[in-house]
């Protein structure tokens, strides 16, 4: 059996590499990024310019009008000033309207970029997972892998659609405000920068703890998803064995781990905003006190000191305080968005960890092609490749274009194998399946039957120096995996059906099969009768892995799927385990017809199904302990005799 599943991955990349990877995805939208930058500049510029207009509004309009009124002026006296003030207000409204439109365009562009970028990442993720070997899926839970497509990509979506635009806007706003603050008062700007230094130190300390917390939270989410997926899939087993309380307790442990990790992540994430806001309030008060002090004492010195402090009047102080608030707000938003960034980077780590997994290596140089025998001008028979379906197959060496017939001659030559180096599963296995032979593999659970088939299918490869497997005299590792698996028809014990019609599920074995071939395959597997009695016959839609069908019916469809593939070599892994005895008898003739002329490997616990095998191989603890025909093994009264009859006397003797 394959190694047990684990819930961990190799240590993910560091943040710099992850950000670099994300930037490489973003680089595909250079023109759109320029448009986004332009919109952000317009939006932020409008906001900053609007803040600066507070100074002339107060100094040039509001204070003069108040002074005129206090001196007994009439409405007529302030009318010109009021009209100019109204024009200023109208200009501010137009300025802000332009900023709003630019902000809207920015959001629309970012939505397009983020959704397209995630589309590309999901494509790469799915493409990478399709290239991974079977052993990868044997060692990772399905729920954990699904978490990469859901939770982790959602975290990236939030960062791309919301956080990145806000960071752009905040950065440009901060730079613009900094320039305006220096223009208004370099001295007050220094006060702001000194206070911001202490704020950044707090953010840095909290950010480090927050990053670790969010990484742990994402890992806990994946573990919990994996557990839930397993429990839902095995719900019947849980109920049969009264395992509900134990499952609840195990869930509670994982849920508690997620609660703790989530609490830590949300605590540090929640602290970031209040800390930044409160320190910005203190900064605002400090700037107001310093500015008011210099204005009250009438700091009117000439030269550099006058430029350094600035001419502090009410309008200047009001504008500067507005910039101080505006300066703190984007920084506060940036610190709050740090939580989203950390969460997204934690998700990106896990996504890229799968994308960077070593794909299935295929060094095979032999491909599978249609062929036919033709005579050359000298009358000699020569194998020729055909681009039409001929019903005959040949191995083609891509190096020299030579062809050889596919006959189905399979040899295991002293094969030793283990899923992990420290545990050997198969010991010195020797099997020779000649073309057209039916080889049966029997033995107790865990004896190595399925592992043998895994090696034949190249789900796992034999290490160098641990024996060889040849197919028509070709080392198995020299045959491309796609060609090898195309030559094999497999019916597994655990049948998987895909969402679609029954016809589509049968045709999955050969996408080019006609409807007539699908019907013929179903008849051969004895599935035609029950299919035609369904509401829509072959057009009945299957969902939920064939939940509306019985296990036996699902297995009949799997047999029909193998039949329509018309493979040279068949592998039947407990193919009739879920079929009742009567149905088994009915399809026996069809199965024999299907196996005729094909090399067949049969794994069976129901030994009555392998009586007519050309050779029965008995495995125990990964070793071949008996081999022969049914009659020979019964006469020997060894392990097979015991498995077949249940007679323990044979073993004792």
């Amino acid at each position: 059996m394959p190694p047990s599943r684990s819930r961990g991955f190799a240590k993910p990349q560091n943040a710099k590499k992850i950000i670099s990877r994300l930037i490489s995805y973003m680089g595909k939208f250079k023109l759109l990024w320029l448009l986004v930058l332009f919109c952000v500049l317009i939006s932020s510029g409008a906001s900053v310019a609007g803040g600066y207009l507070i100074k002339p509004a107060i100094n040039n309009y509001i204070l003069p009008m108040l002074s005129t009124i206090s001196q007994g002026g009439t409405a007529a006296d302030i009318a010109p000033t009021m009209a100019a003030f109204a024009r200023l207000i109208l200009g501010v409204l137009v300025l802000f309207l332009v900023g709003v439109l630019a902000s809207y365009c920015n959001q629309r562009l970012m939505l397009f970029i983020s959704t397209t970028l995630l589309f590309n990442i999901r494509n790469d993720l799915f493409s990478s997972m399709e290239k991974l070997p079977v052993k990868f899926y044997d060692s990772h839970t399905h729920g954990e892998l699904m978490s990469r497509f859901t939770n982790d990509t959602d975290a990236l979506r939030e960062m791309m659609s919301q956080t990145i635009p806000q960071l752009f806007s905040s950065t440009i706003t901060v730079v613009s405000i900094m320039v305006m603050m220096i223009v208004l008062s370099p001295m007050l700007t220094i006060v702001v920068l000194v206070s911001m230094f202490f704020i950044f130190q707090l953010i840095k300390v909290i950010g480090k703890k927050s990053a670790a917390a969010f990484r742990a939270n994402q890992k806990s989410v994946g573990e919990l998803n994996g557990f839930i997926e397993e429990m839902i899939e095995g719900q019947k087993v849980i109920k049969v064995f009264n395992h509900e309380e134990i499952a609840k307790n195990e869930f509670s442990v994982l849920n508690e781990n997620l609660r703790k990790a989530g609490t830590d992540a949300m605590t540090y994430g929640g602290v970031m905003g209040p800390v930044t806001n409160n320190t910005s309030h203190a900064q605002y008060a400090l700037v107001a006190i310093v500015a008011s002090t210099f204005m009250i004492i009438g700091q009117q010195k000439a030269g550099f000191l006058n430029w350094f402090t600035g001419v502090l009047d009410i309008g200047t102080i009001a504008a500067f305080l507005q910039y101080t608030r505006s300066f703190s707000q984007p920084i506060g938003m940036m610190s709050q968005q740090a939580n989203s960034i950390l969460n997204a980077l934690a998700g990106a780590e896990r996504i890229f960890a799968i994308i960077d997994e070593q794909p299935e290596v295929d060094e095979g140089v032999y491909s599978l092609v249609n062929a036919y025998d033709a005579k050359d001008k000298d009358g000699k028979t020569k194998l020729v490749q055909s681009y039409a379906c001929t019903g005959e197959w040949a191995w083609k060496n891509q190096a020299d274009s030579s062809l050889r017939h596919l006959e189905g001659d399979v040899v295991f030559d002293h094969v030793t194998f283990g899923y992990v180096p420290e545990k050997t599963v198969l010991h010195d296995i020797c099997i020779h399946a000649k073309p057209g032979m039916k080889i049966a593999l029997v033995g107790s659970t865990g004896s190595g039957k399925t592992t043998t088939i895994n090696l034949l299918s190249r789900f796992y490869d034999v290490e160098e120096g641990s024996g060889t497997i040849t197919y028509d005299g070709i080392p198995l590792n020299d045959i491309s995996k796609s060609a090898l698996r195309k030559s094999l028809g497999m019916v597994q014990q655990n049948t998987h059906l895909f969402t679609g019609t029954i016809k589509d599920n049968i045709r999955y074995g050969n996408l080019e099969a006609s409807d007539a071939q699908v019907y013929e395959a179903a008849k051969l597997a004895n599935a035609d009768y029950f299919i035609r009695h369904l509401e829509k016959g072959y057009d009945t839609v299957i969902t939920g892995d064939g939940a509306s069908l019985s296990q036996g019916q699902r297995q009949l469809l799997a047999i029909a799927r193998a039949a329509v593939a018309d493979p040279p070599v068949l592998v039947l892994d407990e193919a009739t385990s879920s079929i009742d005895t009567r149905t088994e008898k009915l399809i026996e003739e069809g199965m024999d017809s299907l196996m005729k002329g094909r090399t067949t490997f049969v794994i069976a616990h129901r030994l009555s199904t392998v009586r007519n095998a050309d050779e029965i191989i008995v495995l125990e603890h990964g070793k071949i302990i008996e081999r022969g025909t049914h009659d020979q093994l019964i006469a020997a009264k060894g392990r097979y005799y015991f498995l077949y009859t249940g007679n323990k006397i044979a073993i004792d003797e």
Side-chain angles (χ1 to χ4, degrees):
M1 295 295 290
S4 60
R5 294 177 175 180
S6 66
R7 292 193 167 97
F9 281 93
K11 185 179 179 181
Q13 307 169 68
N14 59 45
K16 290 183 179 179
K17 288 186 177 180
I18 294 170
I19 293 173
S20 177
R21 292 280 291 273
L22 291 175
I23 290 175
S24 68
Y25 279 97
M26 298 177 191
K28 300 175 182 179
F29 309 96
K30 293 179 181 178
L31 179 60
L32 293 180
W33 282 118
L34 290 175
L35 291 175
V36 168
L37 182 61
F38 177 75
C39 291
V40 171
L41 285 171
I42 297 297
S43 177
S44 300
S47 176
V48 172
Y52 184 79
L53 292 177
I54 293 176
K55 178 179 178 179
I58 293 176
N59 290 343
N60 300 339
Y61 302 108
I62 296 177
L63 289 180
M65 284 190 293
L66 291 176
S67 176
T68 301
I69 293 172
S70 65
Q71 294 175 6
T74 63
D77 296 329
I78 64 173
T81 307
M82 180 65 75
F85 182 62
R87 288 193 294 271
L88 178 66
I89 296 299
L90 181 62
V92 171
L93 290 176
V94 172
L95 187 66
F96 284 152
L97 179 60
V98 171
V100 168
L101 291 175
S103 180
Y104 172 78
C105 293
N106 168 42
Q107 291 292 332
R108 294 292 299 178
L109 288 170
M110 281 306 304
L111 282 174
F112 175 79
I113 292 173
S114 62
T115 52
T116 307
L117 184 144
L118 287 179
F119 170 82
N120 293 335
I121 289 179
R122 286 195 189 98
N123 268 347
D124 289 349
L125 178 59
F126 188 80
S127 177
S128 296
M129 292 184 71
E130 287 294 288
K131 296 175 184 177
L132 294 176
V134 171
K135 62 182 178 182
F136 175 86
Y137 296 97
D138 286 340
S139 58
H140 296 89
T141 63
H142 299 162
E144 184 188 25
L145 297 178
M146 285 301 301
S147 180
R148 301 315 195 263
F149 286 96
T150 54
N151 296 328
D152 295 331
T153 53
D154 281 346
L156 276 177
R157 176 192 54 77
E158 183 178 348
M159 183 183 76
M160 294 303 305
S161 62
Q162 299 179 22
T163 304
I164 297 292
Q166 289 185 5
L167 283 178
F168 269 8
S169 178
S170 298
T171 301
I172 294 174
T173 300
V174 166
V175 173
S176 302
I177 289 175
M178 179 64 66
V179 172
M180 298 306 298
M181 290 171 71
I182 293 173
V183 170
L184 289 173
S185 176
M187 183 271 296
L188 293 180
T189 303
I190 291 177
V191 174
V192 172
L193 292 177
V194 170
S195 60
M196 287 307 303
F197 173 77
F198 292 103
I199 294 176
F200 280 134
Q201 293 304 310
L202 284 173
I203 292 174
K204 183 178 179 181
V205 172
I206 297 173
K208 286 183 177 180
K209 295 183 178 295
S210 184
F214 273 105
R215 187 177 295 110
N217 183 66
Q218 289 293 91
K219 180 181 178 182
S220 297
V221 169
E223 290 178 345
L224 188 65
N225 284 344
F227 180 82
I228 292 172
E229 186 268 338
E230 289 180 347
M231 293 303 103
I232 292 176
E233 188 174 315
Q235 194 58 224
K236 290 182 180 179
V237 179
I238 291 173
K239 292 187 178 299
V240 166
F241 291 98
N242 297 316
H243 205 273
E244 291 92 340
E245 290 302 319
I246 297 176
K248 284 166 60 178
N249 292 336
E250 292 175 348
F251 176 83
S252 296
V253 171
L254 293 174
N255 200 25
E256 175 65 14
N257 292 339
L258 177 58
R259 185 195 67 80
K260 290 179 179 178
T263 300
D264 290 343
M266 292 301 106
T267 297
Y268 289 116
V271 164
M272 188 80 76
V275 167
T276 305
N277 288 333
N278 286 309
T279 51
S280 66
H281 292 325
Q283 178 194 58
Y284 186 88
L286 177 63
V287 172
I289 292 171
V290 173
S292 300
T293 300
F294 276 101
M295 186 183 72
I296 290 172
I297 64 177
Q299 188 76 8
Q300 297 294 331
K301 300 187 182 296
F304 172 76
L305 188 60
N306 184 54
W307 171 84
F308 182 68
T309 59
V311 179
L312 297 178
D313 50 40
I314 293 177
T316 300
I317 293 176
F320 197 94
L321 288 176
Q322 175 61 31
Y323 281 137
T324 301
R325 173 64 68 192
S326 299
F327 187 72
S328 301
Q329 284 178 348
I331 291 179
M333 292 175 61
M334 290 167 69
S335 65
Q336 292 176 18
Q337 292 301 325
N339 299 326
S340 174
I341 293 174
L342 294 172
N343 195 22
L345 291 180
E349 286 180 335
R350 293 153 56 82
I351 290 173
F352 292 141
I354 292 183
I355 292 178
D356 294 337
E357 281 284 337
Q358 182 66 36
E360 190 171 32
V361 178
D362 189 359
E363 300 175 349
V365 296
Y366 282 87
S367 61
L368 192 63
V369 298
N370 283 285
Y372 63 94
D373 289 319
K375 291 185 178 181
D376 58 19
K377 58 183 180 180
D378 297 326
K380 295 181 179 179
T381 302
K382 181 182 179 181
L383 190 60
V384 179
Q385 180 178 351
S386 172
Y387 294 95
C389 182
T390 62
E392 293 189 19
W393 298 95
W395 299 113
K396 180 179 180 180
N397 189 327
Q398 299 297 331
D400 57 14
S401 298
S402 61
L403 299 175
R404 66 169 71 184
H405 280 289
L406 193 165
E407 298 176 348
D409 188 276
V410 179
V411 177
F412 284 70
D413 186 12
H414 299 284
V415 172
T416 298
F417 174 78
Y419 291 104
V420 291
E422 60 271 15
K423 185 177 181 181
T424 302
V425 178
L426 296 179
H427 303 266
D428 197 33
I429 300 298
C430 294
I431 301 173
H432 187 186
K434 297 178 181 179
M437 283 186 65
K438 179 179 179 181
I439 303 294
L441 303 176
V442 302
S444 56
T445 300
S447 60
K449 303 184 298 296
T450 300
T451 299
T452 304
I453 299 305
N454 284 342
L455 295 179
L456 176 61
S457 307
R458 287 197 68 189
F459 292 153
Y460 296 84
D461 286 327
V462 179
E463 296 290 336
E464 187 175 351
S466 299
T468 59
I469 304 175
T470 60
Y471 193 158
D472 292 333
I474 305 170
L476 208 62
N477 289 356
D478 289 344
I479 302 175
S480 73
K481 291 182 178 180
S482 59
L484 172 66
R485 292 165 188 170
K486 189 175 182 180
S487 74
L488 301 175
M490 183 174 291
V491 181
Q492 297 175 314
Q493 182 177 2
N494 297 320
T495 302
H496 182 79
L497 300 177
F498 298 92
T499 299
T501 65
I502 286 181
K503 188 188 299 181
D504 291 337
N505 270 273
I506 295 176
R507 190 179 278 122
Y508 202 85
N510 179 9
L511 297 179
E512 298 177 357
S514 64
D515 287 352
Q517 289 174 307
V518 170
Y519 302 148
E520 185 62 30
K523 292 176 182 178
L524 188 63
N526 204 43
D528 180 75
Y529 178 79
F530 91 82
I531 293 174
R532 293 191 182 278
H533 279 74
L534 296 174
E535 183 179 357
K536 295 183 179 179
Y538 283 85
D539 293 320
T540 301
V541 176
I542 297 175
T543 58
D545 198 13
S548 60
L549 303 176
S550 70
Q551 181 64 27
Q553 289 173 330
R554 293 167 62 191
Q555 208 147 23
L556 288 173
L557 292 181
I559 295 171
R561 181 190 292 168
V564 80
D566 194 23
V569 176
L570 276 175
V571 177
L572 308 177
D573 187 355
E574 291 290 342
T576 59
S577 62
S578 298
I579 300 174
D580 60 85
T581 305
R582 178 177 176 274
T583 305
E584 183 182 344
K585 294 291 185 183
L586 291 174
I587 69 169
E588 193 172 87
E589 182 178 343
M591 290 294 293
D592 287 341
S593 176
L594 178 63
M595 291 185 286
K596 187 176 182 180
R598 293 181 171 88
T599 306
T600 306
F601 289 86
V602 180
I603 296 177
H605 287 114
R606 191 183 295 177
L607 300 185
S608 59
T609 61
V610 299
R611 292 183 60 177
N612 62 344
D614 297 301
E615 184 176 36
I616 299 172
I617 296 174
V618 184
L619 292 166
E620 196 66 37
H621 301 300
K623 298 178 181 178
I624 298 177
I625 59 173
E626 291 179 354
R627 64 197 319 155
T629 64
H630 172 76
D631 293 337
Q632 290 171 343
L633 294 178
I634 289 294
K637 292 191 175 182
R639 181 64 179 172
Y640 180 82
Y641 178 84
F642 165 65
L643 293 172
Y644 189 80
T645 65
N647 188 348
K648 294 184 179 181
I649 297 177
I651 300 300
D652 296 336
E653 294 176 349

